[in-house]
Amino acid sequence: MNSEPWRAGDRGNRLGPDVSESLPERWLRGPLGKIPASLLPFGHAFVAAREEVEAATKDLPDSRIWFEPWGAASIGFHLLHLAGSTDRLLSYARAEALSETQRAALAAERVLPVPRPGLEALLEAWAATVETALAQLERTPPGTLNDVRGVGRAQLPSTVRGLLAHAAEHARRHSGQIVTTAKIVRAMDLSTATREGGER
C-alpha cells in the first residue's frame, strides 16, 4: 500500500485521491510521507484543501468557473490565487526572493488573464503547488521554524513557522470559498434549468 498518497502518479481519476464520504477528514488519516509530526497539521491542511477543491468542482463546466455570483470572487480567481499565493509564501519561507515568473503570476491575479484558463489547467496548477508544499514540509527541519523570514518587498518580519502556518490557513480559507461558490453556481444553474423547463 502506498504510504505517500499525495505523490504524483497516485492521484486517482482526477489529480488526487477520490474523497469518499466514508473516509475521515484528512487530519484523521495519519501521517503524510516523511513530514515531521510538528509540521503535519500544515500538510493535512494542504491536502484537505486540494481534495475539497477537486470534489467541489468535479464536472463543473469551464463556462461556470469564472462566474461571479452577486459580485463574489469566481472559482477561477480563487484557484488562480491559491496556486500563486501559496507558491510565493513557500518561497518566502525558503528565504528566497520572488522570481519574474512569480511576479507575473501575481500580476495575473490582479488583472485576470485573457483568455482565461480552464478548470483542468487551474486544478493541475493547484495540485502541483500542493505537491511542492508537501515536499518542502518534508525538507524543513523543525529546528528552523523560528528562523526569521522577510515577507514582500518591504521585508515585513515573519518566521518559517509563521509563513507555513499562514500558507496552510490561507489555502483552507480559499478552498472553503470555492466549495461555497461552487454550490451557489450549481444551485443557480439548477434553478435556471427548472424555470426554463417549466416555461416550455
Side-chain angles (χ1 to χ4, degrees):
M1 182 176 181
N2 189 347
S3 62
E4 300 176 0
W6 49 270
R7 292 292 189 194
D10 185 33
R11 295 180 180 173
N13 295 329
R14 188 189 193 51
L15 307 178
D18 291 333
V19 183
S20 169
E21 293 182 2
S22 64
L23 290 176
E25 293 184 28
R26 189 59 192 88
W27 65 281
L28 294 172
R29 282 186 254 153
L32 283 169
K34 298 177 181 177
I35 295 176
S38 58
L39 298 176
L40 200 51
F42 305 148
H44 285 154
F46 284 123
V47 173
R50 187 192 69 188
E51 290 181 349
E52 287 185 357
V53 165
E54 290 166 359
T57 60
K58 186 175 183 180
D59 299 325
L60 200 63
D62 285 353
S63 62
R64 308 312 287 149
I65 66 168
W66 294 102
F67 181 67
E68 299 176 344
W70 297 288
S74 67
I75 292 168
F77 167 78
H78 285 300
L79 281 169
L80 197 67
H81 180 63
L82 256 179
S85 61
T86 302
D87 180 54
R88 293 188 292 274
L89 291 166
L90 293 174
S91 290
Y92 293 139
R94 297 191 302 267
E96 296 175 0
L98 298 186
S99 67
E100 287 304 315
T101 300
Q102 289 173 310
R103 294 188 187 281
L106 176 59
E109 293 169 32
R110 293 171 175 164
V111 180
L112 295 177
V114 178
R116 296 183 181 178
L119 177 61
E120 196 68 25
L122 291 168
L123 288 176
E124 287 278 3
W126 173 228
T129 302
V130 171
E131 298 285 349
T132 298
L134 296 173
Q136 183 166 327
L137 290 174
E138 279 196 349
R139 298 192 305 267
T140 300
T144 66
L145 291 178
N146 293 326
D147 288 1
V148 175
R149 294 288 187 264
V151 179
R153 292 184 178 180
Q155 288 294 283
L156 299 174
S158 186
T159 62
V160 174
R161 186 198 312 273
L163 281 157
L164 294 176
H166 177 63
E169 179 274 331
H170 182 263
R172 297 294 282 131
R173 179 162 22 114
H174 280 279
S175 67
Q177 289 175 295
I178 289 171
V179 169
T180 300
T181 305
K183 288 181 178 179
I184 292 171
V185 168
R186 292 181 193 278
M188 292 178 72
D189 286 346
L190 179 61
S191 175
T192 300
T194 301
R195 186 170 60 252
E196 291 177 350
E199 291 173 352
R200 290 193 181 101

